Amino acid sequence: MIRVWIPLIAAIAVGCSGARQKVTQSKPVSDDHIAYAAIESKPAKTTVDKPQVELASQPNQLDKELQNQIDKEFDTELELQEGESSPQDIELVSANSQAQERQEPVDEMTIPQLPPAVDSYDSVNDGLYLSEVIDSVYQSYPLLEAAFYSREVASGERLATLGAFDRKIKAGSENGPMGFYKTYRQNIGFIKPLYQGGEAFAGYRIGRGSFQPWYLERETNAGGEFKAGFSVPLSRNRDIDARRADLWRATFGREAVEPDIQAQLIGFVQESSYAYWDWVAAGAKLRIAERVLSLAQNRTERIRSQVENGFLDPPELTDNLRLVAERLGKRADAERKLQQTAVKLSLYYRDANGRPLIPSAESLPKFPELEPIDREMVSLDAKIAVEQRPEIYTLDLIQRQLDVDYSQARNDYLPNVDLVMQASQDVGFPTSPKNDKGPFELDALLLVEVPVERRKARGKLMAIEGKLSQLNAKRQLTEEKIIADVESAYAGLSGAFEQARQAEQAVEYAEDLARRERLNFEEGLSDLLKVTLREEYAVESAEKAVDAKLLYFLEQADYRAALAEDQVPFMEEQ
C-alpha cells in the first residue's frame, strides 16, 4: 500500500511544481500559450483553455488522474470568478482560437482595455449644457435682477430733475386789519418754467381797503386785476441753464446704467461658465476613479483564487486589497467634489421660479470637441471687442456729461440779458374817480447783469478741460487694454488647446503601457506593484487631460467675456 502512495505523492509534487514554474517563468512563452483579454459590453460565458500539466516518467493512468484533478480545481476556480466578478466579464482565449474567430494573424495581440479617455465615456444625450445655464442666468439670476433695478434708480433721478420744469401755483393773503390804514390783499397765480429758457406766468390779485399814498399800486378795482407775461433770456441761459444741464446729466446717467448692467452680466456669465466646467470636470474625474476602482476590484477574486491555489504569494492579495481601499477613498473624494461643484452650479442654474436646481450626476455631459481659433480672426475680434465692450460706452457717456459741464461753464461767461413782458387789466367798479387802473397796461423790461472778473466761469472751464484730457488718456489706455485682453485670451485658448492635445496623446501612451503591464501580470511576467504604478500613471495622465480640457473651456469663457458677446436685453425707455 505504501508503495502505491509514495509514487502518487511524488507525481503530485512534481506536477504542481511544474505547473507553478510554468506560470511564473521569466522567459517569453510561445504565442500558443498566451492568453488575451477582451472586455465585453455584455456578460459572456468564460471559456478557457485548460492547462495541460506535463509529467515526466509517470504511468499513463496516473497522468490522467492528476490531469482530471487539476481540471476539477480549475473549473471550480472559474465558477468562483464567474459568480463574483464585475459585470464586465473577461473572456480568455488562446491566440490560435482568437485568430481563427477574427481571421487575423496570430501575432496581432488584443490587449486588455484600461478606462477609456474621459471624453469617450458614454454620456446622457439630454444632459445639461452650458447654453441652458447661461439662459438661466439671463432669466432668473438674482444679482442680474438687482442690476436691472438700477434702471429704476437712474430713471427716478432723471424724473427728479424734470421737477425743475414743473408748474408752480402761488397764492397769498396779506391783511392789515389794525391801524390807521386797513388793507386786505389776496393773490393767486402760476408759473411755468420753459424748456427753452425763461418762464411764463399768469395770475389774479385783488386789493381792498385804505392804502398808504405811497402804496396805491397795491389797490385794484372792485373786480381785481388779471396779469400775464413771460421772461426770455437773450444771452446767458439761452442755450443751456442749470435746469437743462441737470436734466441732460441725469439722462446720460440713465444711459450709463446699461453698460454697468452689461459689465455685470458678462461677469455673471463668465462665473457661471466656470462653475459649469468645474462641474463637468469633476464628473469626468469621478468616472476615472470609478473605472480604475473597477479594475482593482475585478482583480481581487482572481488574485485570491491564485493565492489559494498557491500560484501567488498572500502579500499580492493584501496589496491589491490595499489598492482597492485606497481607490475607494479617491472615489469618495471625487464624489464630494462633484457634489460641491453641483451645489455651486445651482446658484446660476435655476428653474422658472428662480429656485436653485442642483444638477444630478445623470445629467453630466461629456467635454465637447476642442476647436482651435484662427489667428487671422483675432484682429477682427479685437475691433469687435472695442465696439462692444461696456467700458468704452461708459467713457463715452462720461465725456457727454463733461461736455454738458463745459457748455454750462461757457454759459457762465456770458452776461445776463433778460427780456420781460407782462400785461395786466383791472376789472370791476373803479376805486377812484380818475379810474386810473381801468385801462389795459403793457410793460416791457430789459434786465442786464454782467460779472466782471468771471473767475467762477474760468475756474470751471479749467477744471473741465483737465478732466477731458484725463478722459482721453484713459480712453486710449482702455482700448489698448481691451485689445490686450483679446490677445491674452487668444494666447491662453490656443495654449490650452495644444496642452489638451498633448495630454490626450500622453493618455494614449499611458493606457498602452498599463494594458501591456496587466497582460504581463496575467502571464506571470510582472507583479502587482508594476501594474499598480502603470495604472496610477494612466490615471494621472487622464486627470491631467481633464484639467487641460477644463483649462481650455475656462479660457474659452474668458475669450467670450473679452469680446463682450453677452448683451443686455433691450428695455423701452420709461
Side-chain angles (χ1 to χ4, degrees), residues 110-127:
T110 304
I111 302 174
Q113 297 290 327
L114 191 70
V118 175
D119 58 352
S120 65
Y121 291 152
D122 293 335
S123 61
V124 181
N125 292 331
D126 296 331

Side-chain angles (χ1 to χ4, degrees), residues 21 75 100 137 139 162 190 213 215 293 322 356-357 436 526:
Q21 289 175 2
D75 292 338
Q100 290 176 1
V137 171
Q139 295 173 5
L162 287 173
F190 75 92
Y215 282 144
L293 172 62
R322 176 201 61 80
L357 292 176
D436 54 347
S526 180

Side-chain angles (χ1 to χ4, degrees), residues 15-28:
C16 292
S17 177
R20 185 166 183 176
Q21 289 175 2
K22 187 172 183 179
V23 174
T24 59
Q25 61 184 342
S26 59
K27 295 181 180 180

Side-chain angles (χ1 to χ4, degrees), residues 222-362:
E225 178 192 68
F226 292 92
K227 180 184 291 186
F230 62 88
S231 65
V232 177
L234 300 181
S235 180
R236 186 179 181 182
N237 297 333
R238 180 178 179 84
D239 298 325
I240 186 174
D241 56 13
R243 296 173 301 186
R244 282 175 284 179
D246 292 340
L247 175 60
W248 294 342
R249 278 192 290 265
T251 301
F252 294 138
R254 166 63 181 83
E255 295 180 7
V257 171
E258 300 303 319
D260 180 67
I261 296 176
Q262 185 187 6
Q264 295 186 55
L265 175 61
I266 292 172
F268 298 151
V269 171
Q270 188 178 22
E271 293 172 2
S272 65
S273 300
Y274 286 170
Y276 175 80
W277 292 119
D278 286 340
W279 173 66
V280 173
K285 290 185 177 180
L286 175 59
R287 289 194 290 267
I288 294 175
E290 290 176 344
R291 292 300 181 91
V292 73
L293 172 62
S294 66
L295 286 176
Q297 289 176 334
N298 294 341
R299 238 182 350 246
T300 301
E301 292 304 324
R302 184 170 62 254
I303 295 176
R304 177 179 285 113
S305 177
Q306 293 177 355
V307 170
E308 291 175 353
N309 289 277
F311 296 110
L312 290 177
D313 296 330
E316 295 288 338
L317 178 60
T318 304
D319 192 23
N320 193 76
L321 292 176
R322 176 201 61 80
L323 186 61
V324 170
E326 181 180 338
R327 291 180 179 179
L328 282 172
K330 290 184 178 179
R331 185 185 67 176
D333 183 64
E335 289 176 347
R336 174 187 63 83
K337 292 181 179 179
L338 177 62
Q339 293 174 358
Q340 289 178 339
T341 54
V343 171
K344 184 177 180 180
L345 180 60
S346 67
L347 296 176
Y348 305 96
Y349 181 53
R350 298 171 179 266
D351 59 13
N353 297 323
R355 292 188 295 268
L357 292 176
I358 299 178
S360 62
E362 289 74 15

